[in-house]
Amino acid sequence: MFRTFLTMLGVIIAMLILVLLLGGANGLTNGFNKIFAGTASNSLFVWGQSTSEPYKGFERGRRIRYKLEDADILKRQIPEIEVLAPRIELADHRGAITVYRNGQTSGSSVYGDYPEIDQITKKKLVEGRFLNQNDIEDSKKVCVIGEETYKLLFEKGEEAIGESIRINGVYFTVVGIYKPNNNINIDGENAVFIPFSTFQKAFNSGDRMGWMAIAVEKNTPVPLIEKQIKDILKNKYDIHPDDDRAIGSFDMSRIFNSVTGFTLVLQGFSFFIGIFTLLAGVIAISNILLITVKERTKEIGVRRALGATPKVVKRQIILEAIIITAFAGLVGFAISVGLLSIMDSMWGSGDDFPFVKPMISIPQFIFSFVLMVGLSVLIGLLPANRAVKIRPIEALREE
């Protein structure tokens, strides 16, 4: 009995390792997904820089400045673009920025935006609302401020919605307050967002556009769209085809793909280690059954003498292997799930540690369990074949 328990312990530990590794890998995957939540995985950002090659009479070092019409051109010529949000920052046009209220300044970044930007970099609103299409159409003097901006301009607990702040001498009414999503935060939390159309009129930016935030349709390679965008802009602004510095871009999908690849490798590695550990545990059961068969030689001989066929004897041994393995595996699974639950309660709700819901999925459990039972059948064949080779007459002679 004790020997059987020790053998089962090997399978319990093997299942424990397999589930903990897979659960940990899933927890990290969920943690990374949480970090990237609110940021479109198929997005890129495009902005103008300075040329590095002379072309068509233009000298190198020419600054590329986009116009609002460029957004319409790109959307019209590249149907795979799902969302395109033109953006502009106040510092690009007016030098120093002063965001002021009641003697307090915040040093905030000020952006002119369209509501579509929220589809690419989602803002987690604490109060109020984000910019909408009516704000754009009516050029409303409204703004959405970050939580840090609120702390710098308002007293703790003071109502901000409906109050006014002054940006470079122009008054704006606060309609929303956001805080970071604890993920990729491109704009920071000390920022102010105003309607793009209002920005144009208030700060005399004309049809100028700072940069573009772009989301591409799913299943469309972002690098392919990125190249098409650059080709169109190079042609429009007379940029040398080989000039790689004139147009700046950042492909967010590369980060997502890298993280996804890492988590897939981690899950594969966990399966690899866990399965071989499980195989070692199942082999131990095979060894103990070989010893059991030798100890039960007389019993097997009596059964064979009474008419038990080799098939019946073999089936009994294999069934024992399956029962022992399955029971040990379920015990190991139960213990590992308990440990993962404890880990989730300790770290799963934290904002700093990227570890969320470290549990294995139902398909992973089914695959692991079926694999474990399948291995037990294969391993059980060795002692089963040894048992059917016992000749009844020789078995009955053993003392």
Side-chain angles (χ1 to χ4, degrees), residues 87 109 111 121-123 144-149 178-181 183-193:
R87 309 195 71 189
S109 301
Y111 300 99
T121 57
K122 187 72 176 176
K123 299 295 182 293
V144 177
I145 65 175
E147 199 170 41
E148 184 65 24
T149 309
Y178 77 91
K179 69 177 181 179
N181 286 317
N183 53 19
I184 296 178
N185 193 4
I186 296 172
D187 304 311
E189 57 182 311
N190 187 13
V192 179
F193 301 93

Side-chain angles (χ1 to χ4, degrees), residues 209-280:
M209 173 176 59
W211 72 99
M212 293 169 279
I214 301 167
V216 178
E217 290 180 350
K218 291 184 179 179
N219 303 320
T220 300
V222 175
L224 176 64
I225 303 303
E226 181 181 13
K227 183 179 183 306
Q228 293 180 22
I229 290 172
K230 288 185 176 182
D231 289 343
I232 293 171
L233 293 175
K234 283 182 177 181
N235 181 65
K236 182 177 186 294
Y237 288 96
D238 294 321
I239 301 171
H240 195 287
D242 297 328
D243 191 340
D244 295 327
R245 297 183 182 179
I247 300 175
S249 63
F250 178 72
D251 180 1
M252 187 67 73
S253 71
R254 292 182 181 179
I255 297 179
F256 282 90
N257 293 337
S258 298
V259 171
T260 300
F262 169 75
T263 54
L264 288 176
V265 170
L266 186 62
Q267 289 177 344
F269 178 76
S270 301
F271 255 121
F272 180 81
I273 298 299
I275 287 172
F276 274 90
T277 307
L278 191 61
L279 180 61

Side-chain angles (χ1 to χ4, degrees), residues 60-216:
R60 71 181 58 177
R62 176 169 52 102
R63 182 71 180 178
I64 303 301
R65 300 186 184 278
Y66 298 135
K67 297 181 178 179
L68 199 56
E69 66 182 25
D70 296 334
D72 295 326
I73 292 172
L74 292 176
K75 285 190 289 186
R76 186 169 60 251
Q77 295 189 23
I78 306 176
E80 291 84 3
I81 292 179
E82 194 171 67
V83 178
L84 195 156
R87 309 195 71 189
I88 193 167
E89 187 174 357
L90 184 56
D92 294 340
H93 305 281
R94 301 297 292 269
I97 305 171
T98 302
V99 180
Y100 173 90
R101 180 181 180 272
N102 292 348
Q104 302 292 326
T105 59
S106 65
S108 308
S109 301
V110 179
Y111 300 99
D113 272 307
Y114 282 85
E116 288 80 3
I117 190 63
D118 201 41
Q119 299 179 40
I120 300 176
T121 57
K122 187 72 176 176
K123 299 295 182 293
K124 187 176 181 180
L125 291 175
V126 178
E127 291 183 62
R129 63 173 178 84
F130 195 66
L131 305 177
N132 58 37
Q133 193 59 36
N134 287 333
D135 298 332
I136 299 293
E137 293 174 356
D138 298 335
S139 299
K140 292 182 179 180
K141 290 183 179 180
V142 297
C143 66
V144 177
I145 65 175
E147 199 170 41
E148 184 65 24
T149 309
Y150 167 80
K151 293 177 182 178
L152 293 170
L153 297 179
F154 294 84
E155 298 295 331
K156 185 177 181 180
E158 186 179 0
E159 180 64 39
I161 304 299
E163 296 294 322
S164 295
I165 63 174
R166 196 171 71 194
I167 303 174
N168 282 15
V170 181
Y171 285 92
F172 291 84
T173 301
V174 178
V175 295
I177 304 173
Y178 77 91
K179 69 177 181 179
N181 286 317
N182 298 310
N183 53 19
I184 296 178
N185 193 4
I186 296 172
D187 304 311
E189 57 182 311
N190 187 13
V192 179
F193 301 93
I194 65 177
F196 195 98
S197 57
T198 310
F199 188 105
Q200 290 176 297
K201 295 177 180 180
F203 305 116
N204 195 29
S205 63
D207 63 348
R208 193 174 297 175
M209 173 176 59
W211 72 99
M212 293 169 279
I214 301 167
V216 178

Side-chain angles (χ1 to χ4, degrees), residues 293 296-317 383-396:
V293 167
R296 294 164 56 189
T297 299
K298 189 170 183 178
E299 174 194 336
I300 294 173
V302 170
R303 294 188 61 200
R304 291 291 305 278
L306 293 176
T309 63
K311 183 177 180 181
V312 172
V313 175
K314 183 182 291 188
R315 184 170 58 196
Q316 179 188 358
I317 301 299
N385 289 330
R386 177 72 62 85
V388 298
K389 288 180 180 179
I390 297 175
R391 302 174 68 178
I393 189 66
E394 293 177 359
L396 291 173

